[in-house]
Amino acid sequence: MTGVQRTVTRTLVVLLAMFVFAFALVPLYDAFCRVTGINGKVENTAQALIRDSIDESRVITVQFITRGSPGLPWKLEVLDRQVRVHPGAATEVHFAFTNHGKQAGWGRAVPSVSPSEASLYMRKVTCFCFQEQRLDAGERYEAPLVFQLTRDLPDDIKTVTLVYTLYPVDDKTLAAKVLANEAPAIVVPGIAVPGGEA
Amino acid sequence: MAPKLPPQLPPQNRVEQAGDASGTAGHADAGYHHGPKGLLRWLLTTNHKEIGTLYLIFSLSMFFIGGIFALVVRAELFQPGLQLVQPEFFNQMTTMHGLIMVFGAVMPGFVGLANWMIPLQIGAPDMALPRLNNFSFWLLPVAFTLLLSTLLMPGGGPNFGWTFYAPLSTTYSPPSTTFFILSLHMAGISSILGAINIIATILNLRAPGMRMMDMPLFVWTWLITAFLLIAVMPVLAGVITMMLLDINFGTSFFNAAGGGDPVMFQHIFWFFGHPEVYIMILPAFGIVSAIIPTFARKRLFGYASMVYATSSIAILSFLVWAHHMFAVGLPLVAELFFMYTTMLIAVPTGVKVFNWIATLFQGSISFETPMLFALAFVVLFSIGGFSGLMLAIAPADFQYHDTYFVVAHFHYVLVPGAVFAIMAAVYYWLPKWTGHYPNERLGRWHFWTSVVGVNLTFFPMHFSGLAGMPRRIPDYALQFADFNMASSIGALLFGTSQLLFVLMIIKCVRGGEKAPAKAWDGAVDLEWTVPSPAPLHTFETPPRFQHQEH
Ligand code: HEM
Ligand SMILES: [Cu+2]
């Protein structure tokens, strides 16, 4: 029966490998998307400006869309819905968070870029989306976004849309992260984020 | 130039079996008296034939339960408007129908056939791991009792479709979802253990002299299916484990707020899901490749190309998963890549259809019930293949996706595809299992009512889908009314005609025309060398296999 035992051991090894592979797909997927910019995920940490000359021959329309989500009585507004920029130029736009709820809470705006190829050329110097926000009941808070589209943006991209979706953040997961020192950066170089005083 | 009558297996092979079988028949009776009796006997059995029977009975019961759910769906859709059930319950019915048919009816049906027939076709005395075999069967009733019980839980059962996309199945799911995950884990473990057993049996227990390229195609296709199972069931286990963690332990695999990604769910699911659809069709290819040569009284055309086509389908099936996701916003290169790989898969599939037709060419064909089902399989499965090709065209799929056209496509490949193949196999091997021929008249009635029912149900769905009717909705716009009424009438016909199938099986077990060892005169594989009904123990001394030219 050693033949059978050998076959069984081998299949068990493959099984285990495939189970591990399923979980490995998560970081792989993330890395793959980040490298190729495939699913519109943008770098979620501050990036330095590339000090390039500005390509004045091209004008790109950048649109902003904001969305709320059920379970979070907040509103995210963009004060400049649409801007026209030259590749290479840094631009600042303003957003406003309002907590219409009766309680203080945590939320987070998650960005996505469309078309997804453009996400590789979108550099954010300052963004409220880099970490969770805390708003008191009724509080309104304005935050800037400073971004740059790099000059190597492909020619066929004429319009770039940035979507921010608000999500509620569980206090407990956030608290855990803060305790574990993973989300301490209430202050990011350049901007102060509400909740810093909390 | 092809010989009218098939070359028989070398006589020496058959003679030896006849002797062997008469010896084992007595032995079987003796063995029967040793073991426990009644229920306990079935609970503890390690005999591949008894376990095969258990699987088949289980599969048939699930086929009826899932069928009743489908009839609830079709009854609600008989007319526009909400008449019978609430939308919440409707969603549970579509979901449970899909889950039960895929994991409870089709997969266990094929495993049951594998249990019965693989040892007989390769000349092995039993499966390689008989006790594991018992365990993998008994996991199933537990898993599906649990799954069905979720319908009675507060908040109802799973309502997010058989594909359980996150976040519908995580953030917005009913509380019973944890039990759904548990039951799917159990069903998955059962499939995995079954696959290990099948691989171990095929690779180690073949009769002396039987090389891999001598194995009947049912054995070959099951071997490849088992490898697919080993490769993708752990991925299914992984993805439902991630759901479990997201729901109960605050992780964010599929939750964008926590840095996860719901689209990733679809990638991982379909990485499992597409090979899964081939898991449900490859054994069917094997069955049809056994039946058509038998009733055409010719050797299978292109045996080796069948093996290679099956293997290439299996390998390609790992490279096409995102054709289910053309509409999620894939980048252009990905759309193109998955479009071309998907179309590529149609090539080996076409090779198979070609080979079956070439086998029929100049054969002396007779049309017993198994052959009728096998021929209907070839024709109707091809229709499903063609609609698949239409769906594979990424820009066209933007229109077809999530409409009834997709429903028509996969029901054509799964019902007159996989399910007809299982039925063909039952008619084909019943003489071996029971010692009696199935009643031809009843079989023919069953066949024709099923064929009419299936086409009446699913063909109009092509049209309602192309006209834009979305899938998984309890109510619809008026212009789809006629198509839906036709579908519902067809479903009722198809559903009731399955009672004939049960009647036929009961009659065949009870009695009927006696079948000899070689029940069909064009049949050549080893199972036809043991007496009918096959005694409990066969091939205790391995037969000596002499290979034929393919
Ligand atoms: C020529 C071969 C085939 C091609 C080209 C093909 C192509 C496709 C495509 C492109 C879709 C996605 C449609 C959409 O959601 O918009 C699809 C769905 C599906 N196919 Fe096929 N297919 C083929 C054969 C099969 C076979 C053999 C099976 C199973 C036995 C199968 C089962 C399914 C199922 C179950 C779905 C729908 C899954 C769902 O969304 O619920 N297909 N097929
Ligand atoms: Cu597929």
Side-chain angles (χ1 to χ4, degrees):
Chain A
M1 281 308 249
T2 51
V4 173
Q5 278 167 0
R6 201 172 337 113
T7 315
V8 172
T9 333
R10 283 182 191 166
T11 41
L12 286 177
V13 171
V14 178
L15 266 174
L16 205 69
M18 287 309 294
F19 190 67
V20 173
F21 174 71
F23 282 87
L25 280 173
V26 178
L28 282 175
Y29 175 84
D30 235 37
F32 186 76
C33 291
R34 230 166 263 286
V35 172
T36 57
I38 266 180
N39 71 348
K41 278 194 182 178
V42 268
E43 205 47 62
N44 233 3
T45 48
Q47 290 166 300
L49 272 185
I50 294 185
R51 304 220 174 267
D52 237 351
S53 57
I54 292 170
D55 180 356
E56 306 220 312
S57 65
R58 283 202 285 163
V59 185
I60 313 291
T61 307
V62 182
Q63 303 173 323
F64 299 94
I65 296 176
T66 55
R67 298 194 302 195
S69 71
L72 189 69
W74 289 19
K75 191 163 184 195
L76 177 60
E77 289 157 284
V78 53
L79 305 180
D80 323 87
R81 280 228 156 260
Q82 177 165 318
V83 290
R84 292 168 64 76
V85 302
H86 298 299
T91 312
E92 178 166 337
V93 281
H94 290 268
F95 287 74
F97 290 81
T98 322
N99 181 353
H100 293 295
K102 299 211 177 349
Q103 275 167 345
W106 291 89
R108 169 167 202 156
V110 176
S112 172
V113 175
S114 171
S116 52
E117 297 94 291
S119 61
L120 287 177
Y121 310 95
M122 168 70 72
R123 300 178 71 83
K124 293 188 189 168
V125 185
T126 303
C127 182
F128 49 85
C129 57
F130 293 151
Q131 72 283 309
E132 291 91 352
Q133 323 271 336
R134 202 192 114 94
L135 287 190
D136 286 327
E139 184 180 345
R140 179 184 156 93
Y141 167 72
E142 272 189 35
L145 160 72
V146 181
F147 72 95
Q148 175 191 36
L149 284 171
T150 52
R151 286 199 58 166
D152 47 356
L153 182 78
D155 274 342
D156 58 322
I157 298 182
K158 308 265 190 273
T159 307
V160 176
T161 310
L162 249 169
V163 183
Y164 285 96
T165 311
L166 268 178
Y167 287 100
V169 175
D170 253 356
D171 279 272
K172 59 178 192 296
T173 43
L174 184 81
K177 277 193 195 161
V178 173
L179 277 180
N181 242 354
E182 278 169 16
I186 302 297
V187 179
V188 164
I191 53 160
V193 169
E197 68 282 359
Chain B
M1 49 174 261
K4 280 279 178 204
L5 284 176
Q8 302 296 320
L9 274 186
Q12 145 259 16
N13 205 347
R14 292 202 298 152
V15 170
E16 187 185 336
Q17 276 324 302
D20 178 47
S22 60
T24 46
H27 192 99
D29 280 345
Y32 181 88
H33 291 296
H34 289 312
K37 295 213 176 62
L39 262 184
L40 213 56
R41 167 182 165 208
W42 290 100
L43 202 62
L44 299 177
T45 178
T46 56
N47 180 287
H48 74 100
K49 300 188 183 78
E50 292 184 338
I51 294 178
T53 305
L54 286 174
Y55 265 109
L56 289 170
I57 294 173
F58 176 80
S59 158
L60 187 62
S61 331
M62 286 297 137
F63 183 57
F64 273 91
I65 294 178
I68 289 168
F69 294 169
L71 287 180
V72 173
V73 168
R74 280 313 332 165
E76 177 55 55
L77 294 177
F78 184 67
Q79 283 182 338
L82 286 180
Q83 283 92 21
L84 297 171
V85 296
Q86 292 305 306
E88 294 77 20
F89 187 67
F90 182 92
N91 290 345
Q92 294 172 36
M93 285 291 103
T94 51
T95 306
M96 284 297 235
H97 162 69
L99 289 170
I100 292 213
M101 287 304 193
V102 168
F103 296 101
V106 173
M107 291 172 72
F110 282 127
V111 179
L113 293 171
N115 261 295
W116 248 105
M117 301 320 297
I118 288 179
L120 285 180
Q121 290 198 317
I122 63 173
D126 203 311
M127 296 294 280
L129 307 155
R131 290 187 203 190
L132 191 71
N133 207 7
N134 173 292
F135 179 62
S136 51
F137 171 73
W138 283 108
L139 275 175
L140 284 181
V142 181
F144 282 88
T145 311
L146 184 63
L147 181 61
L148 286 170
S149 72
T150 58
L151 285 177
L152 308 173
M153 292 180 187
N159 56 4
F160 28 67
W162 83 277
T163 51
F164 47 95
Y165 280 9
L168 207 53
S169 60
T170 51
T171 315
Y172 305 102
S173 66
S176 64
T177 306
T178 305
F179 293 99
F180 153 75
I181 293 174
L182 193 63
S183 68
L184 210 53
H185 262 309
M186 278 195 272
I189 291 171
S190 163
S191 306
I192 287 173
L193 298 180
I196 295 180
N197 211 343
I198 286 167
I199 295 177
T201 308
I202 298 175
L203 293 187
N204 297 287
L205 300 190
R206 291 195 309 283
M210 183 185 274
R211 303 165 311 176
M212 294 293 275
M213 288 308 268
D214 294 326
M215 300 191 310
L217 266 170
F218 179 64
V219 179
W220 253 119
T221 50
W222 240 118
L223 179 66
I224 293 167
T225 304
F227 278 118
L228 284 181
L229 280 167
I230 296 289
V232 300
M233 290 315 273
V235 177
L236 173 68
V239 75
I240 56 180
T241 306
M242 291 175 205
M243 278 171 59
L244 191 74
L245 295 174
D246 271 10
I247 294 173
N248 296 310
F249 299 97
T251 56
S252 305
F253 285 103
F254 308 126
N255 180 1
D261 190 334
V263 174
M264 184 180 69
F265 174 91
Q266 298 185 25
H267 280 291
I268 306 179
F269 178 83
W270 286 114
F271 187 84
F272 148 79
H274 187 82
E276 165 70 19
V277 309
Y278 281 98
I279 287 166
M280 294 191 281
I281 204 67
L282 293 185
F285 291 165
I287 291 164
V288 171
S289 305
I291 293 176
I292 289 187
T294 296
F295 294 94
R297 293 170 180 76
K298 269 180 69 191
R299 254 194 240 135
L300 181 69
F301 183 88
Y303 171 91
S305 69
M306 285 297 212
V307 173
Y308 298 132
T310 313
S311 318
S312 22
I313 290 177
I315 292 166
L316 282 175
S317 73
F318 288 102
L319 300 175
V320 300
W321 76 89
H323 65 213
H324 297 275
M325 303 169 57
F326 283 143
V328 299
L330 297 177
L332 186 62
V333 273
E335 302 263 354
L336 289 174
F337 175 82
F338 287 107
M339 173 165 124
Y340 291 130
T341 50
T342 304
M343 293 188 169
L344 206 58
I345 260 199
V347 176
T349 315
V351 167
K352 287 182 161 289
V353 174
F354 177 83
N355 286 348
W356 291 322
I357 294 171
T359 307
L360 291 170
F361 185 66
Q362 290 196 335
S364 53
I365 306 174
S366 59
F367 295 93
E368 286 89 344
T369 317
M371 184 61 160
L372 291 179
F373 274 99
L375 292 175
F377 172 96
V378 176
V379 175
L380 300 177
F381 173 79
S382 300
I383 295 182
F386 285 130
S387 56
L389 274 175
M390 289 173 68
L391 291 165
I393 305 167
D397 186 65
F398 278 69
Q399 183 191 338
Y400 308 152
H401 180 64
D402 264 349
T403 68
Y404 258 82
F405 191 79
V406 178
V407 180
H409 157 66
F410 68 76
H411 281 91
Y412 261 90
V413 284
L414 284 171
V415 184
V419 172
F420 270 25
I422 295 176
M423 288 173 177
V426 169
Y427 280 100
Y428 183 57
W429 281 315
L430 261 176
K432 186 53 60 193
W433 301 338
T434 66
H436 308 122
Y437 282 104
N439 183 320
E440 263 308 306
R441 242 173 86 88
L442 211 51
R444 253 167 235 208
W445 270 98
H446 173 224
F447 172 75
W448 285 111
T449 46
S450 295
V451 167
V452 173
V454 147
N455 285 294
L456 189 57
T457 311
F458 299 118
F459 210 80
M461 291 182 185
H462 289 117
F463 302 124
S464 47
L466 289 178
M469 176 167 163
R471 62 191 285 204
R472 295 171 173 154
I473 48 162
D475 186 8
Y476 50 83
L478 292 178
Q479 68 266 33
F480 307 125
D482 294 347
F483 292 134
N484 276 282
M485 188 176 284
S487 286
S488 291
I489 294 171
L492 192 65
L493 174 63
F494 181 75
T496 34
S497 64
Q498 299 323 309
L499 296 174
L500 297 177
F501 186 50
V502 178
L503 185 66
M504 177 284 296
I505 294 174
I506 292 173
K507 282 184 78 150
C508 188
V509 171
R510 290 239 178 119
E513 191 191 334
K514 288 256 175 300
K518 186 162 170 266
W520 311 107
D521 63 9
V524 290
D525 294 325
L526 274 186
E527 74 265 31
W528 306 108
T529 64
V530 306
S532 303
L536 202 56
H537 299 279
T538 38
F539 295 127
E540 298 213 296
T541 47
R544 213 168 314 112
F545 180 87
Q546 255 196 5
H547 82 95
Q548 328 157 247
E549 292 309 317
H550 284 294

